[in-house]
Amino acid sequence: MTFELNGAATPSPAAVPVGALIKDSSDQGFKTDVIDASLETPVLVDFWAPWCGPCRALTPALEKVVNEKAGKIRLIKINIDENPQIAGQLGIQSIPAVFAFSGGRPVDGFMGAMPEGEVRRFADKVIAGVPAAAPETDSMEAQIGNAIAAAHEALTAGDLGRAAQIFGMVLQHEPENVVSLLGLTKVYLAAGEVEQASTTLDLIPEAERKGVDYTATLSSIRLLTEAAGLSETDTLRAALDTNPDDHQARFDLAVVLNAEGEKVEAAEALVALMKRDRAWNDDGARKKLIELFDAWGPKDPATIKGRRLLSAVLFS
């Protein structure tokens, strides 16, 4: 898998002493050895572990290629067993994982072992992609804004790994960046990691826990947590086949359907419950439907259709 974040800007590579080309680093040294160093020369970061067989095959190829380039690119090696923080922030779930940094930002990368020739082509691509010095107007704020836009684009496209990596890098610079924390929470939700999503959302400062996006994300977590404790759809459907007036089964079915991504069907189940017994559980079906709308957002096609169905019940 590869990912790219276009638009990195950095000065042309400076000469680097041979002894400084390859170095072991740590979570604490990451900013100096990678972020700051990549402002001068592109840096490859090799995330590895002693037990990883493919890592033992890849690392010598990386070292050979970096030495060949004689100062045009550096290599930083990070043992994730001893230094899990940066790997976690980048969303790394398998190794070996190699990231290319230039201008203080990730610009390319790959997962898994590659033959030496492919490693050489990758390094050449990174070196060739280093543009001229960034204009002074290219502020850190602008860089972070561009990175967040790229992360959201990846999330929309379903490239969860890339989205997590970019959001993680932004949070490396700004640990309380609300947009990135919300974005990373959505990545975990899309991956089905509800507990991790909840933990990430809790990192948002109390004063910033507001707005439509935050409310929608919080509702999504609550709904998925609720669904985790319910029966499977087949069991609930069977209960309704036996007794169509089993309102709790129909209510639970809607919650589970939403968790499975069947939004419209979830809305239809709640509307059907309302038609059978509007007052059930203190108007519980309507309240749950509104909760689903909050989680989906006002522009979601399921919300639009669900509101039409709701209106037909309320005003018929």
Side-chain angles (χ1 to χ4, degrees):
M1 177 182 74
T2 64
F3 64 90
E4 297 183 4
L5 178 57
N6 295 325
T10 181
S12 299
V16 181
V18 174
L21 292 179
I22 300 172
K23 179 181 178 181
D24 290 300
S25 189
S26 63
D27 287 336
Q28 292 72 29
F30 188 83
K31 184 177 185 302
T32 299
D33 294 335
V34 178
I35 303 297
D36 295 344
S38 72
L39 296 172
E40 299 178 356
T41 307
V43 177
L44 299 182
V45 185
D46 176 21
F47 291 96
W48 68 285
W51 47 263
C52 171
C55 297
R56 291 195 296 272
L58 176 64
T59 299
L62 288 167
E63 293 177 347
K64 180 178 180 181
V65 169
V66 167
N67 279 320
E68 285 177 0
K69 300 306 176 183
K72 294 180 180 179
I73 195 166
R74 308 185 199 191
L75 175 65
I76 294 297
K77 299 184 290 184
I78 296 182
N79 180 341
I80 66 168
D81 284 350
E82 298 176 354
N83 303 279
Q85 180 181 348
I86 299 298
Q89 290 177 342
L90 289 172
I92 294 174
Q93 297 182 347
S94 64
I95 52 174
V98 176
F99 287 72
F101 283 76
S102 184
R105 291 174 289 167
V107 294
D108 205 346
F110 64 87
M111 305 290 178
M114 289 202 308
E116 181 182 313
E118 291 296 319
V119 172
R120 187 172 290 105
R121 277 188 284 273
F122 177 80
D124 287 339
K125 177 184 174 185
V126 173
I127 294 168
V130 177
E136 294 183 2
T137 56
D138 188 15
S139 65
M140 179 59 70
E141 182 179 355
Q143 293 178 30
I144 288 176
N146 291 335
I148 290 174
H152 280 301
E153 181 180 340
L155 178 57
T156 301
D159 191 346
L160 303 183
R162 180 170 180 253
Q165 290 154 3
I166 301 174
F167 282 132
M169 283 309 306
V170 173
L171 293 170
Q172 178 70 19
H173 286 282
E174 296 184 357
E176 294 188 350
N177 186 289
V178 175
V179 176
S180 292
L181 286 170
L182 278 170
L184 190 57
T185 299
K186 292 175 183 178
V187 170
Y188 286 126
L189 283 175
E193 299 179 21
V194 181
E195 184 176 349
Q196 186 63 50
S198 181
T199 300
T200 304
L201 192 67
D202 285 344
L203 295 176
I204 294 178
E206 288 278 356
E208 301 295 333
R209 297 180 184 183
K210 57 189 177 182
V212 174
D213 204 13
Y214 175 82
T215 301
T217 306
L218 180 61
S219 294
S220 294
I221 291 173
R222 287 173 175 169
L223 287 164
L224 290 173
T225 302
E226 181 181 357
L230 301 177
S231 301
E232 296 182 355
T233 52
D234 289 346
T235 301
L236 294 168
R237 290 186 196 279
L240 288 171
D241 288 341
T242 301
N243 178 15
D245 287 324
D246 186 341
H247 299 330
Q248 187 64 57
R250 196 177 299 277
F251 182 89
D252 292 350
L253 177 61
V255 174
V256 175
L257 286 170
N258 171 68
E260 295 177 350
E262 301 294 338
K263 298 178 182 178
V264 172
E265 194 174 350
E268 290 172 342
L270 291 170
V271 169
L273 197 163
M274 290 178 65
K275 289 179 179 179
R276 287 179 175 273
D277 187 349
R278 171 69 186 276
W280 178 81
N281 198 22
D282 192 22
D283 201 17
R286 184 189 64 81
K287 292 177 180 177
K288 181 60 66 176
L289 192 55
I290 298 301
E291 188 179 347
L292 292 180
F293 295 160
D294 288 341
W296 300 340
K299 296 182 180 180
D300 192 292
T303 299
I304 295 171
K305 182 169 183 179
R307 289 196 185 280
R308 286 201 300 266
L309 294 172
L310 178 60
S311 296
V313 174
L314 295 176
F315 306 115
S316 60

